Amino acid sequence: LRLNLYFYSGIYMIVFSDFDGTITRENRELTPKFFEIMDLIGRNNSELVIVSGRSLSWGDFFLTHFPQMKAAIMEGGGVI
């Protein structure tokens, strides 16, 4: 996983990312890198929004298990 994030002092940013194969491994495993990304974004007073073709129930999973996430875009953009 290669990550290039640039934060600007005092500017709130929203980072949008695909989930499967982008911030997970090919076998859909969450890695320590995912948690590093969450921490980095949180330390910079910004927000991560997962964008995925997965079902609505996965959006619920993200929002209930990662309280720092305030939004998820699921079902290929059909549900926000």
Side-chain angles (χ1 to χ4, degrees):
L1 175 67
R2 189 168 174 199
L3 177 66
N4 293 316
L5 287 178
Y6 301 96
F7 292 95
Y8 301 94
S9 180
I11 296 177
Y12 177 81
M13 294 177 62
I14 300 174
V15 178
F16 294 85
S17 177
D18 179 48
F19 187 68
D20 294 316
T22 302
I23 57 175
T24 63
R25 289 193 177 143
E26 287 181 23
N27 61 0
R28 299 182 177 180
E29 175 185 1
L30 286 175
T31 66
K33 187 59 97 177
F34 171 77
F35 297 98
E36 290 175 30
I37 291 167
M38 294 291 291
D39 183 57
L40 175 66
I41 290 170
R43 281 187 284 121
N44 284 279
N45 298 317
S46 294
E47 186 176 340
L48 174 64
V49 175
I50 298 293
V51 181
S52 178
R54 288 186 178 207
S55 68
L56 177 60
S57 62
W58 273 96
D60 181 63
F61 171 82
F62 292 131
L63 298 176
T64 56
H65 286 78
F66 302 102
Q68 63 273 43
M69 273 190 194
K70 295 179 178 49
I73 301 171
M74 307 309 292
E75 298 190 12
V79 179
I80 299 175

